[in-house]
Amino acid sequence: MKSLYDDNIAQEFTTDLEYRVYTSRLLGGDPSLVLHGGGNTSVKSVVNGEEILYVKGSGWDLATIEEAGFAPVKLDVLKEMATLVKLSDTDMVSQQKEAMIDKSAPNPSVEAILHAIIPFKYVDHTHSDAVVTISNSVNGIENIQEVYPNYLIIPYVMPGFILAQTIYNELKNIDWETCEGIILHNHGIFTFDNDPKVSYEKMINGVTRAEEFLDKNAELVIEKYMPRADLDVVKLQTIISKEKGYDVFVKVNQSPLALHYASARNIKELATRGVLTPEHIIRTKRNPMIIEDSDIQKSIDLFEEEYLEYYNQFTSNEIMINPTPNWAVVKNYGTVSFGKDEKEASIIEDINNHTMQAVLKADMLGGYQSISLADSFDMEYWELEQAKLKK
Ligand SMILES: [Zn+2]
């Protein structure tokens, strides 16, 4: 992966935020680093004598972010929040909002506290495919340690206050002189520096190490398959629309990758091992439905039955999400993504493409292994997501 930082462009910048927007867009422009609103960045600055963290606001995409997309939050308030013993994510969000110096700005990212406690001016965070592919495998812990000997490595913890608190405790005994970055297992990577270019290039170099490891140990060869099965797409669309209660847009994917994936001997074992990075679960659910023959209704019934089992196993009275799948892997045919409109179906398809690649590569490292069922449930039924449903 090459640095796209252009000193000729950067020499025009005079403010911290101008640099922050520039390198955020460089990261956001590469879908192998962040997809559709994933990842976040920040810069610590001074406004009217007060230290302020400008952190990516929710609803903004790094690829297109502008200065207005950064939420300005009082740094000392965020640092103080990190020391709390207990804080619900709902309270965290409202306290972060309280601490903004411009109330019309977007809500700060849920990872704002984490950005605040890293004592460098620029902090960059991505969900790099290469990093999470290595991490999401049975030997992920050992392999990540090998690739990142000078990084702080954090076992999987759900995003939100508990993650910020975990890192706050870890940072007490850290030697910043030698720490090159932070890896969050099954989630992503952080780099940081007082210089925007250095922080960005630490990200590029960190991700390159993961890419080189994969090139050496998991080089993926996509075999050429022709579709060997047919699918009644209209029937599938009709059934999914009925189950979801609205007309869905369906997007069929018969790219070489999708065909390779759908042509595996046991697609159910292959494709139902969880998401690449936790936040994807909100878009895709943990798994796709699997269609192996022409009985589409039977396949949906089975998916929903298994979804209900998963819900019942972990619920403590959360509102159940509609159990209909958001995408399907269809034996010898390809994949199909369902969205409320074309945009949503395309986002889901993009995520699937990155996940399929990662699964195939991680299998070459000994086996793909995502977060557990229990951790998946906690993410899918996060109180912040439940709050949206209650509205
Ligand atoms: Zn993240």
Side-chain angles (χ1 to χ4, degrees):
M1 174 167 286
K2 288 215 162 33
S3 167
L4 300 174
Y5 197 97
D6 185 335
D7 289 310
N8 289 322
I9 294 176
Q11 70 172 2
E12 311 272 312
F13 303 148
T14 53
T15 67
D16 295 338
L17 257 184
E18 283 173 328
Y19 281 103
R20 184 64 284 175
V21 168
Y22 176 56
T23 54
S24 300
R25 285 182 168 214
L26 293 182
L27 297 172
D30 187 335
S32 77
L33 293 175
V34 292
L35 274 179
H36 302 296
N40 39 62
T41 56
S42 67
V43 60
K44 298 175 184 77
S45 197
V46 175
V47 180
N48 299 327
E50 191 170 24
E51 279 193 292
I52 299 297
L53 178 84
Y54 284 93
V55 63
K56 194 195 98 164
S58 60
W60 284 79
D61 201 309
L62 288 183
T64 52
I65 199 157
E66 298 164 14
E67 291 192 11
F70 287 90
V73 196
K74 292 177 181 170
L75 185 63
D76 59 343
V77 175
L78 290 171
K79 282 173 152 173
E80 192 58 42
M81 283 167 75
T83 66
L84 297 173
V85 178
K86 209 171 179 269
L87 181 66
S88 74
D89 286 333
T90 309
D91 290 342
M92 175 184 81
V93 168
S94 66
Q95 287 181 28
Q96 284 181 175
K97 234 166 123 176
E98 262 321 286
M100 289 205 297
I101 55 166
D102 173 3
K103 303 286 186 225
S104 68
N107 281 348
S109 155
V110 290
E111 276 152 0
I113 297 176
L114 223 164
H115 283 259
I117 58 178
I118 296 174
F120 290 89
K121 191 171 177 76
Y122 288 88
V123 177
D124 294 16
H125 167 50
T126 73
H127 301 154
S128 154
D129 283 353
V131 174
V132 287
T133 298
I134 298 172
S135 183
N136 280 335
S137 66
V138 286
N139 303 314
I141 303 219
E142 296 78 15
N143 287 336
I144 285 287
Q145 266 162 356
E146 184 192 324
V147 178
Y148 298 103
N150 298 325
Y151 275 60
L152 172 66
I153 297 169
I154 308 284
Y156 178 76
V157 181
M158 183 174 154
F161 179 70
I162 178 159
L163 175 60
Q165 187 183 49
T166 303
I167 298 208
Y168 173 74
N169 289 326
E170 286 284 334
L171 295 186
K172 285 176 183 161
N173 350 308
I174 198 171
D175 176 4
W176 289 110
E177 289 289 305
T178 56
C179 179
E180 293 177 27
I182 301 174
I183 300 284
L184 305 181
H185 258 297
N186 315 103
H187 175 157
I189 170 171
F190 277 84
T191 56
F192 30 79
D193 200 89
N194 291 326
D195 182 296
K197 181 181 180 181
V198 176
S199 182
Y200 164 76
E201 290 190 341
K202 278 182 178 171
M203 177 64 72
I204 299 304
N205 295 336
V207 171
T208 302
R209 276 194 228 174
E211 289 178 336
E212 286 169 355
F213 179 88
L214 289 175
D215 286 346
K216 206 167 108 200
N217 298 290
E219 200 195 342
L220 182 59
V221 179
I222 302 290
E223 285 169 48
K224 249 199 152 130
Y225 288 96
M226 294 299 288
R228 284 172 290 132
D230 216 359
L231 174 73
D232 187 341
V233 179
V234 174
K235 187 174 170 193
L236 176 63
Q237 184 176 25
T238 308
I239 299 176
I240 295 286
S241 296
K242 189 172 141 261
E243 301 279 324
K244 283 196 184 277
Y246 55 84
D247 286 340
V248 294
F249 186 94
V250 299
K251 203 150 187 270
V252 172
N253 182 358
Q254 292 186 308
S255 67
L257 172 66
L259 273 165
H260 176 108
Y261 204 69
S263 300
R265 210 172 323 126
N266 194 340
I267 54 170
K268 181 146 187 175
E269 261 169 34
L270 176 77
T272 58
R273 286 175 289 167
V275 290
L276 188 53
T277 189
E279 69 183 36
H280 287 174
I281 207 163
I282 312 295
R283 306 251 197 205
T284 62
K285 290 197 164 73
R286 180 178 162 85
N287 291 321
M289 72 181 281
I290 304 297
I291 302 178
E292 298 198 74
D293 55 38
S294 58
D295 194 344
I296 298 174
Q297 186 65 53
K298 186 189 77 187
S299 301
I300 294 184
D301 291 345
L302 180 63
F303 179 92
E304 293 187 354
E305 200 180 292
E306 288 172 351
Y307 189 86
L308 206 71
E309 249 170 60
Y310 154 80
Y311 172 80
N312 286 331
Q313 188 181 350
F314 298 106
T315 186
S316 42
N317 275 326
E318 288 84 355
I319 304 171
M320 196 175 87
I321 295 166
N322 183 308
T324 315
N326 293 353
W327 69 297
V329 178
V330 187
K331 179 98 182 152
N332 295 329
Y333 176 85
T335 70
V336 188
S337 302
F338 320 121
K340 61 180 188 301
D341 50 26
E342 185 173 4
K343 188 179 168 210
E344 191 181 48
S346 300
I347 289 174
I348 291 170
E349 186 183 276
D350 281 347
I351 292 173
N352 303 340
N353 279 330
H354 288 257
T355 308
M356 290 189 287
Q357 287 236 23
V359 167
L360 294 169
K361 287 185 185 177
D363 274 349
M364 285 189 265
L365 298 176
Y368 180 78
Q369 191 176 64
S370 172
I371 55 172
S372 68
L373 280 170
D375 286 333
S376 298
F377 184 87
D378 286 347
M379 192 67 209
E380 195 173 359
Y381 285 84
W382 194 1
E383 60 181 77
L384 300 178
E385 291 301 319
Q386 286 279 302
K388 289 182 200 162
L389 290 180
K390 283 175 192 153
K391 267 183 199 163

PDB file of all heavy atoms in Angstrom, residues 45-77:
ATOM      1  N   SER A  45      -6.756  20.167  19.173  1.00  0.00           N
ATOM      2  CA  SER A  45      -6.437  21.539  18.816  1.00  0.00           C
ATOM      3  C   SER A  45      -6.784  22.461  19.987  1.00  0.00           C
ATOM      4  O   SER A  45      -7.304  21.996  21.002  1.00  0.00           O
ATOM      5  CB  SER A  45      -7.234  21.910  17.558  1.00  0.00           C
ATOM      6  OG  SER A  45      -6.691  23.055  16.963  1.00  0.00           O
ATOM      7  N   VAL A  46      -6.502  23.742  19.838  1.00  0.00           N
ATOM      8  CA  VAL A  46      -6.843  24.692  20.901  1.00  0.00           C
ATOM      9  C   VAL A  46      -7.799  25.734  20.323  1.00  0.00           C
ATOM     10  O   VAL A  46      -7.541  26.313  19.269  1.00  0.00           O
ATOM     11  CB  VAL A  46      -5.579  25.376  21.462  1.00  0.00           C
ATOM     12  CG1 VAL A  46      -5.954  26.451  22.486  1.00  0.00           C
ATOM     13  CG2 VAL A  46      -4.651  24.344  22.100  1.00  0.00           C
ATOM     14  N   VAL A  47      -8.931  25.918  21.002  1.00  0.00           N
ATOM     15  CA  VAL A  47      -9.907  26.923  20.569  1.00  0.00           C
ATOM     16  C   VAL A  47     -10.174  27.847  21.752  1.00  0.00           C
ATOM     17  O   VAL A  47     -10.584  27.383  22.818  1.00  0.00           O
ATOM     18  CB  VAL A  47     -11.232  26.249  20.119  1.00  0.00           C
ATOM     19  CG1 VAL A  47     -12.243  27.300  19.668  1.00  0.00           C
ATOM     20  CG2 VAL A  47     -10.979  25.236  19.010  1.00  0.00           C
ATOM     21  N   ASN A  48      -9.918  29.130  21.585  1.00  0.00           N
ATOM     22  CA  ASN A  48     -10.088  30.122  22.672  1.00  0.00           C
ATOM     23  C   ASN A  48      -9.420  29.668  23.966  1.00  0.00           C
ATOM     24  O   ASN A  48     -10.019  29.696  25.040  1.00  0.00           O
ATOM     25  CB  ASN A  48     -11.581  30.389  22.926  1.00  0.00           C
ATOM     26  CG  ASN A  48     -12.244  30.962  21.687  1.00  0.00           C
ATOM     27  OD1 ASN A  48     -11.611  31.693  20.918  1.00  0.00           O
ATOM     28  ND2 ASN A  48     -13.496  30.614  21.467  1.00  0.00           N
ATOM     29  N   GLY A  49      -8.206  29.156  23.842  1.00  0.00           N
ATOM     30  CA  GLY A  49      -7.442  28.765  25.028  1.00  0.00           C
ATOM     31  C   GLY A  49      -7.817  27.413  25.611  1.00  0.00           C
ATOM     32  O   GLY A  49      -7.244  26.983  26.613  1.00  0.00           O
ATOM     33  N   GLU A  50      -8.788  26.727  25.002  1.00  0.00           N
ATOM     34  CA  GLU A  50      -9.229  25.452  25.567  1.00  0.00           C
ATOM     35  C   GLU A  50      -8.867  24.296  24.622  1.00  0.00           C
ATOM     36  O   GLU A  50      -9.003  24.418  23.404  1.00  0.00           O
ATOM     37  CB  GLU A  50     -10.757  25.491  25.747  1.00  0.00           C
ATOM     38  CG  GLU A  50     -11.285  24.345  26.556  1.00  0.00           C
ATOM     39  CD  GLU A  50     -12.771  24.539  26.933  1.00  0.00           C
ATOM     40  OE1 GLU A  50     -13.473  25.286  26.223  1.00  0.00           O
ATOM     41  OE2 GLU A  50     -13.194  23.944  27.920  1.00  0.00           O
ATOM     42  N   GLU A  51      -8.410  23.176  25.201  1.00  0.00           N
ATOM     43  CA  GLU A  51      -8.049  22.023  24.371  1.00  0.00           C
ATOM     44  C   GLU A  51      -9.311  21.306  23.874  1.00  0.00           C
ATOM     45  O   GLU A  51     -10.184  20.931  24.677  1.00  0.00           O
ATOM     46  CB  GLU A  51      -7.203  21.043  25.184  1.00  0.00           C
ATOM     47  CG  GLU A  51      -5.739  21.438  25.269  1.00  0.00           C
ATOM     48  CD  GLU A  51      -4.908  20.291  25.805  1.00  0.00           C
ATOM     49  OE1 GLU A  51      -5.083  19.968  26.996  1.00  0.00           O
ATOM     50  OE2 GLU A  51      -4.112  19.726  25.028  1.00  0.00           O
ATOM     51  N   ILE A  52      -9.372  21.132  22.561  1.00  0.00           N
ATOM     52  CA  ILE A  52     -10.563  20.547  21.932  1.00  0.00           C
ATOM     53  C   ILE A  52     -10.157  19.344  21.087  1.00  0.00           C
ATOM     54  O   ILE A  52      -9.164  19.389  20.360  1.00  0.00           O
ATOM     55  CB  ILE A  52     -11.250  21.591  21.017  1.00  0.00           C
ATOM     56  CG1 ILE A  52     -11.712  22.813  21.824  1.00  0.00           C
ATOM     57  CG2 ILE A  52     -12.421  20.974  20.225  1.00  0.00           C
ATOM     58  CD1 ILE A  52     -12.752  22.527  22.880  1.00  0.00           C
ATOM     59  N   LEU A  53     -10.929  18.260  21.209  1.00  0.00           N
ATOM     60  CA  LEU A  53     -10.739  17.116  20.310  1.00  0.00           C
ATOM     61  C   LEU A  53     -11.752  17.249  19.171  1.00  0.00           C
ATOM     62  O   LEU A  53     -12.964  17.266  19.416  1.00  0.00           O
ATOM     63  CB  LEU A  53     -10.981  15.796  21.046  1.00  0.00           C
ATOM     64  CG  LEU A  53     -10.844  14.556  20.136  1.00  0.00           C
ATOM     65  CD1 LEU A  53      -9.386  14.138  20.019  1.00  0.00           C
ATOM     66  CD2 LEU A  53     -11.679  13.391  20.648  1.00  0.00           C
ATOM     67  N   TYR A  54     -11.253  17.363  17.963  1.00  0.00           N
ATOM     68  CA  TYR A  54     -12.126  17.289  16.792  1.00  0.00           C
ATOM     69  C   TYR A  54     -12.126  15.834  16.348  1.00  0.00           C
ATOM     70  O   TYR A  54     -11.095  15.316  15.908  1.00  0.00           O
ATOM     71  CB  TYR A  54     -11.590  18.162  15.657  1.00  0.00           C
ATOM     72  CG  TYR A  54     -11.827  19.637  15.849  1.00  0.00           C
ATOM     73  CD1 TYR A  54     -10.869  20.440  16.443  1.00  0.00           C
ATOM     74  CD2 TYR A  54     -13.026  20.219  15.427  1.00  0.00           C
ATOM     75  CE1 TYR A  54     -11.089  21.801  16.620  1.00  0.00           C
ATOM     76  CE2 TYR A  54     -13.250  21.572  15.601  1.00  0.00           C
ATOM     77  CZ  TYR A  54     -12.285  22.361  16.191  1.00  0.00           C
ATOM     78  OH  TYR A  54     -12.512  23.702  16.356  1.00  0.00           O
ATOM     79  N   VAL A  55     -13.275  15.177  16.464  1.00  0.00           N
ATOM     80  CA  VAL A  55     -13.342  13.756  16.127  1.00  0.00           C
ATOM     81  C   VAL A  55     -14.456  13.528  15.109  1.00  0.00           C
ATOM     82  O   VAL A  55     -15.465  14.241  15.119  1.00  0.00           O
ATOM     83  CB  VAL A  55     -13.561  12.902  17.412  1.00  0.00           C
ATOM     84  CG1 VAL A  55     -14.891  13.216  18.089  1.00  0.00           C
ATOM     85  CG2 VAL A  55     -13.443  11.404  17.133  1.00  0.00           C
ATOM     86  N   LYS A  56     -14.267  12.550  14.251  1.00  0.00           N
ATOM     87  CA  LYS A  56     -15.263  12.287  13.209  1.00  0.00           C
ATOM     88  C   LYS A  56     -16.661  12.199  13.804  1.00  0.00           C
ATOM     89  O   LYS A  56     -16.871  11.508  14.805  1.00  0.00           O
ATOM     90  CB  LYS A  56     -14.946  10.974  12.484  1.00  0.00           C
ATOM     91  CG  LYS A  56     -15.740  10.834  11.182  1.00  0.00           C
ATOM     92  CD  LYS A  56     -15.740   9.425  10.631  1.00  0.00           C
ATOM     93  CE  LYS A  56     -17.015   8.729  11.048  1.00  0.00           C
ATOM     94  NZ  LYS A  56     -17.329   7.514  10.299  1.00  0.00           N
ATOM     95  N   GLY A  57     -17.590  12.880  13.192  1.00  0.00           N
ATOM     96  CA  GLY A  57     -18.967  12.849  13.661  1.00  0.00           C
ATOM     97  C   GLY A  57     -19.703  11.668  13.058  1.00  0.00           C
ATOM     98  O   GLY A  57     -19.372  11.212  11.964  1.00  0.00           O
ATOM     99  N   SER A  58     -20.696  11.149  13.792  1.00  0.00           N
ATOM    100  CA  SER A  58     -21.423  10.004  13.237  1.00  0.00           C
ATOM    101  C   SER A  58     -22.268  10.479  12.055  1.00  0.00           C
ATOM    102  O   SER A  58     -22.707  11.625  12.001  1.00  0.00           O
ATOM    103  CB  SER A  58     -22.256   9.301  14.306  1.00  0.00           C
ATOM    104  OG  SER A  58     -23.186  10.182  14.837  1.00  0.00           O
ATOM    105  N   GLY A  59     -22.433   9.592  11.109  1.00  0.00           N
ATOM    106  CA  GLY A  59     -23.171   9.935   9.895  1.00  0.00           C
ATOM    107  C   GLY A  59     -22.255  10.459   8.791  1.00  0.00           C
ATOM    108  O   GLY A  59     -22.703  10.643   7.662  1.00  0.00           O
ATOM    109  N   TRP A  60     -20.991  10.704   9.098  1.00  0.00           N
ATOM    110  CA  TRP A  60     -20.057  11.173   8.075  1.00  0.00           C
ATOM    111  C   TRP A  60     -19.166  10.028   7.610  1.00  0.00           C
ATOM    112  O   TRP A  60     -18.883   9.104   8.347  1.00  0.00           O
ATOM    113  CB  TRP A  60     -19.181  12.315   8.617  1.00  0.00           C
ATOM    114  CG  TRP A  60     -19.940  13.612   8.676  1.00  0.00           C
ATOM    115  CD1 TRP A  60     -20.835  13.976   9.642  1.00  0.00           C
ATOM    116  CD2 TRP A  60     -19.889  14.684   7.724  1.00  0.00           C
ATOM    117  NE1 TRP A  60     -21.342  15.228   9.352  1.00  0.00           N
ATOM    118  CE2 TRP A  60     -20.776  15.682   8.181  1.00  0.00           C
ATOM    119  CE3 TRP A  60     -19.190  14.910   6.545  1.00  0.00           C
ATOM    120  CZ2 TRP A  60     -20.981  16.886   7.499  1.00  0.00           C
ATOM    121  CZ3 TRP A  60     -19.371  16.102   5.862  1.00  0.00           C
ATOM    122  CH2 TRP A  60     -20.268  17.072   6.337  1.00  0.00           C
ATOM    123  N   ASP A  61     -18.726  10.139   6.358  1.00  0.00           N
ATOM    124  CA  ASP A  61     -17.902   9.123   5.740  1.00  0.00           C
ATOM    125  C   ASP A  61     -16.499   9.717   5.565  1.00  0.00           C
ATOM    126  O   ASP A  61     -16.372  10.827   5.070  1.00  0.00           O
ATOM    127  CB  ASP A  61     -18.527   8.799   4.362  1.00  0.00           C
ATOM    128  CG  ASP A  61     -18.103   7.453   3.858  1.00  0.00           C
ATOM    129  OD1 ASP A  61     -16.886   7.199   3.841  1.00  0.00           O
ATOM    130  OD2 ASP A  61     -18.990   6.660   3.485  1.00  0.00           O
ATOM    131  N   LEU A  62     -15.466   8.972   5.935  1.00  0.00           N
ATOM    132  CA  LEU A  62     -14.102   9.527   5.809  1.00  0.00           C
ATOM    133  C   LEU A  62     -13.763   9.915   4.365  1.00  0.00           C
ATOM    134  O   LEU A  62     -12.996  10.841   4.133  1.00  0.00           O
ATOM    135  CB  LEU A  62     -13.060   8.537   6.334  1.00  0.00           C
ATOM    136  CG  LEU A  62     -12.987   8.328   7.860  1.00  0.00           C
ATOM    137  CD1 LEU A  62     -11.858   7.375   8.205  1.00  0.00           C
ATOM    138  CD2 LEU A  62     -12.798   9.646   8.595  1.00  0.00           C
ATOM    139  N   ALA A  63     -14.340   9.219   3.407  1.00  0.00           N
ATOM    140  CA  ALA A  63     -14.013   9.478   1.999  1.00  0.00           C
ATOM    141  C   ALA A  63     -14.412  10.883   1.561  1.00  0.00           C
ATOM    142  O   ALA A  63     -13.784  11.475   0.689  1.00  0.00           O
ATOM    143  CB  ALA A  63     -14.693   8.450   1.113  1.00  0.00           C
ATOM    144  N   THR A  64     -15.458  11.415   2.171  1.00  0.00           N
ATOM    145  CA  THR A  64     -16.011  12.696   1.711  1.00  0.00           C
ATOM    146  C   THR A  64     -16.094  13.723   2.831  1.00  0.00           C
ATOM    147  O   THR A  64     -16.766  14.749   2.691  1.00  0.00           O
ATOM    148  CB  THR A  64     -17.429  12.476   1.141  1.00  0.00           C
ATOM    149  OG1 THR A  64     -18.195  11.755   2.115  1.00  0.00           O
ATOM    150  CG2 THR A  64     -17.413  11.684  -0.151  1.00  0.00           C
ATOM    151  N   ILE A  65     -15.438  13.438   3.943  1.00  0.00           N
ATOM    152  CA  ILE A  65     -15.627  14.294   5.131  1.00  0.00           C
ATOM    153  C   ILE A  65     -15.126  15.721   4.878  1.00  0.00           C
ATOM    154  O   ILE A  65     -14.204  15.953   4.089  1.00  0.00           O
ATOM    155  CB  ILE A  65     -14.955  13.653   6.373  1.00  0.00           C
ATOM    156  CG1 ILE A  65     -15.517  14.265   7.658  1.00  0.00           C
ATOM    157  CG2 ILE A  65     -13.424  13.774   6.307  1.00  0.00           C
ATOM    158  CD1 ILE A  65     -15.360  13.379   8.872  1.00  0.00           C
ATOM    159  N   GLU A  66     -15.789  16.665   5.551  1.00  0.00           N
ATOM    160  CA  GLU A  66     -15.399  18.076   5.493  1.00  0.00           C
ATOM    161  C   GLU A  66     -15.150  18.554   6.929  1.00  0.00           C
ATOM    162  O   GLU A  66     -15.431  17.821   7.867  1.00  0.00           O
ATOM    163  CB  GLU A  66     -16.548  18.904   4.896  1.00  0.00           C
ATOM    164  CG  GLU A  66     -16.888  18.511   3.473  1.00  0.00           C
ATOM    165  CD  GLU A  66     -18.250  19.045   3.031  1.00  0.00           C
ATOM    166  OE1 GLU A  66     -18.801  19.930   3.726  1.00  0.00           O
ATOM    167  OE2 GLU A  66     -18.740  18.570   2.004  1.00  0.00           O
ATOM    168  N   GLU A  67     -14.707  19.775   7.071  1.00  0.00           N
ATOM    169  CA  GLU A  67     -14.470  20.293   8.430  1.00  0.00           C
ATOM    170  C   GLU A  67     -15.733  20.179   9.281  1.00  0.00           C
ATOM    171  O   GLU A  67     -15.676  19.876  10.467  1.00  0.00           O
ATOM    172  CB  GLU A  67     -13.971  21.739   8.373  1.00  0.00           C
ATOM    173  CG  GLU A  67     -12.571  21.824   7.783  1.00  0.00           C
ATOM    174  CD  GLU A  67     -11.905  23.178   7.954  1.00  0.00           C
ATOM    175  OE1 GLU A  67     -12.422  24.020   8.718  1.00  0.00           O
ATOM    176  OE2 GLU A  67     -10.849  23.392   7.328  1.00  0.00           O
ATOM    177  N   ALA A  68     -16.887  20.424   8.655  1.00  0.00           N
ATOM    178  CA  ALA A  68     -18.154  20.374   9.390  1.00  0.00           C
ATOM    179  C   ALA A  68     -18.481  18.966   9.886  1.00  0.00           C
ATOM    180  O   ALA A  68     -19.372  18.783  10.721  1.00  0.00           O
ATOM    181  CB  ALA A  68     -19.287  20.873   8.501  1.00  0.00           C
ATOM    182  N   GLY A  69     -17.765  17.967   9.382  1.00  0.00           N
ATOM    183  CA  GLY A  69     -18.021  16.580   9.782  1.00  0.00           C
ATOM    184  C   GLY A  69     -17.304  16.175  11.062  1.00  0.00           C
ATOM    185  O   GLY A  69     -17.450  15.046  11.526  1.00  0.00           O
ATOM    186  N   PHE A  70     -16.514  17.085  11.624  1.00  0.00           N
ATOM    187  CA  PHE A  70     -15.798  16.784  12.871  1.00  0.00           C
ATOM    188  C   PHE A  70     -16.493  17.440  14.055  1.00  0.00           C
ATOM    189  O   PHE A  70     -16.811  18.629  14.013  1.00  0.00           O
ATOM    190  CB  PHE A  70     -14.341  17.243  12.784  1.00  0.00           C
ATOM    191  CG  PHE A  70     -13.512  16.351  11.889  1.00  0.00           C
ATOM    192  CD1 PHE A  70     -13.397  16.626  10.522  1.00  0.00           C
ATOM    193  CD2 PHE A  70     -12.907  15.210  12.395  1.00  0.00           C
ATOM    194  CE1 PHE A  70     -12.668  15.787   9.686  1.00  0.00           C
ATOM    195  CE2 PHE A  70     -12.171  14.365  11.561  1.00  0.00           C
ATOM    196  CZ  PHE A  70     -12.051  14.645  10.205  1.00  0.00           C
ATOM    197  N   ALA A  71     -16.740  16.652  15.091  1.00  0.00           N
ATOM    198  CA  ALA A  71     -17.396  17.171  16.291  1.00  0.00           C
ATOM    199  C   ALA A  71     -16.343  17.741  17.236  1.00  0.00           C
ATOM    200  O   ALA A  71     -15.387  17.043  17.578  1.00  0.00           O
ATOM    201  CB  ALA A  71     -18.160  16.048  16.982  1.00  0.00           C
ATOM    202  N   PRO A  72     -16.487  19.018  17.666  1.00  0.00           N
ATOM    203  CA  PRO A  72     -15.511  19.602  18.591  1.00  0.00           C
ATOM    204  C   PRO A  72     -15.920  19.344  20.047  1.00  0.00           C
ATOM    205  O   PRO A  72     -16.926  19.862  20.515  1.00  0.00           O
ATOM    206  CB  PRO A  72     -15.599  21.098  18.260  1.00  0.00           C
ATOM    207  CG  PRO A  72     -16.983  21.303  17.709  1.00  0.00           C
ATOM    208  CD  PRO A  72     -17.520  19.991  17.251  1.00  0.00           C
ATOM    209  N   VAL A  73     -15.115  18.530  20.745  1.00  0.00           N
ATOM    210  CA  VAL A  73     -15.480  18.123  22.109  1.00  0.00           C
ATOM    211  C   VAL A  73     -14.360  18.543  23.073  1.00  0.00           C
ATOM    212  O   VAL A  73     -13.181  18.417  22.742  1.00  0.00           O
ATOM    213  CB  VAL A  73     -15.669  16.591  22.203  1.00  0.00           C
ATOM    214  CG1 VAL A  73     -16.423  16.217  23.476  1.00  0.00           C
ATOM    215  CG2 VAL A  73     -16.401  16.047  20.984  1.00  0.00           C
ATOM    216  N   LYS A  74     -14.765  19.007  24.266  1.00  0.00           N
ATOM    217  CA  LYS A  74     -13.760  19.420  25.264  1.00  0.00           C
ATOM    218  C   LYS A  74     -12.913  18.208  25.659  1.00  0.00           C
ATOM    219  O   LYS A  74     -13.440  17.209  26.151  1.00  0.00           O
ATOM    220  CB  LYS A  74     -14.449  20.011  26.496  1.00  0.00           C
ATOM    221  CG  LYS A  74     -15.133  21.327  26.206  1.00  0.00           C
ATOM    222  CD  LYS A  74     -15.865  21.844  27.431  1.00  0.00           C
ATOM    223  CE  LYS A  74     -16.563  23.150  27.079  1.00  0.00           C
ATOM    224  NZ  LYS A  74     -17.487  23.586  28.136  1.00  0.00           N
ATOM    225  N   LEU A  75     -11.601  18.343  25.463  1.00  0.00           N
ATOM    226  CA  LEU A  75     -10.703  17.211  25.681  1.00  0.00           C
ATOM    227  C   LEU A  75     -10.670  16.779  27.145  1.00  0.00           C
ATOM    228  O   LEU A  75     -10.674  15.576  27.444  1.00  0.00           O
ATOM    229  CB  LEU A  75      -9.295  17.587  25.194  1.00  0.00           C
ATOM    230  CG  LEU A  75      -8.258  16.478  25.232  1.00  0.00           C
ATOM    231  CD1 LEU A  75      -8.627  15.323  24.310  1.00  0.00           C
ATOM    232  CD2 LEU A  75      -6.879  17.012  24.846  1.00  0.00           C
ATOM    233  N   ASP A  76     -10.659  17.752  28.071  1.00  0.00           N
ATOM    234  CA  ASP A  76     -10.552  17.350  29.491  1.00  0.00           C
ATOM    235  C   ASP A  76     -11.781  16.569  29.943  1.00  0.00           C
ATOM    236  O   ASP A  76     -11.682  15.659  30.760  1.00  0.00           O
ATOM    237  CB  ASP A  76     -10.273  18.576  30.393  1.00  0.00           C
ATOM    238  CG  ASP A  76     -11.357  19.632  30.298  1.00  0.00           C
ATOM    239  OD1 ASP A  76     -12.139  19.595  29.321  1.00  0.00           O
ATOM    240  OD2 ASP A  76     -11.434  20.505  31.196  1.00  0.00           O
ATOM    241  N   VAL A  77     -12.950  16.881  29.382  1.00  0.00           N
ATOM    242  CA  VAL A  77     -14.165  16.141  29.769  1.00  0.00           C
ATOM    243  C   VAL A  77     -14.063  14.684  29.302  1.00  0.00           C
ATOM    244  O   VAL A  77     -14.368  13.752  30.046  1.00  0.00           O
ATOM    245  CB  VAL A  77     -15.432  16.806  29.169  1.00  0.00           C
ATOM    246  CG1 VAL A  77     -16.676  15.981  29.470  1.00  0.00           C
ATOM    247  CG2 VAL A  77     -15.590  18.222  29.692  1.00  0.00           C
TER     248      VAL A  77
END
